[in-house]
Amino acid sequence: MSETIEVALKKHRPGCTGMFWRPDPTGATPLKSNSNWPRDGARLRGTVVEAKGKKWLLATEVLQNGKTEWVPAPPGAAMPFEYDNHYSLE
């Protein structure tokens, strides 16, 4: 099993207020819902996988900006480490 890491959702240009969850790129777990998607400045915990030629985080928890409590991510929630030079996980 992979090690759990913690990363921040960083925004690189104006636009959206966060990023909707993406489905697990490995296909192992279907995305159950798009609830509690990460808003700008959120922190995420999960494991790293390589799939579809990209690096992904299979999210297990999200801490929204300004909140103090980690909340479970929906089953099958994933986030690419880089998206359209707009968002990245760091």
Side-chain angles (χ1 to χ4, degrees):
M1 178 118 183
S2 297
E3 177 182 338
T4 298
I5 65 164
E6 186 176 312
V7 294
L9 180 65
K10 300 286 185 173
K11 184 187 221 173
H12 300 291
R13 57 184 163 93
C16 309
T17 59
M19 230 173 103
F20 290 116
W21 295 116
R22 291 349 195 218
D24 176 351
T26 68
T29 307
L31 180 58
K32 182 166 174 111
S33 76
N34 223 323
S35 63
N36 201 33
W37 48 275
R39 291 358 181 244
D40 292 349
R43 298 199 60 80
L44 306 169
R45 288 180 180 157
T47 56
V48 178
V49 296
E50 296 274 341
K52 300 183 178 179
K54 293 183 180 181
K55 185 176 172 182
W56 293 80
L57 183 76
L58 299 181
T60 54
E61 296 179 281
V62 60
L63 178 66
Q64 299 291 1
N65 193 21
K67 302 290 183 181
T68 58
E69 194 169 312
W70 287 89
V71 176
M79 196 64 58
F81 269 77
E82 194 283 322
Y83 177 74
D84 195 30
N85 200 29
H86 193 151
Y87 281 101
S88 64
L89 299 181
E90 299 176 9

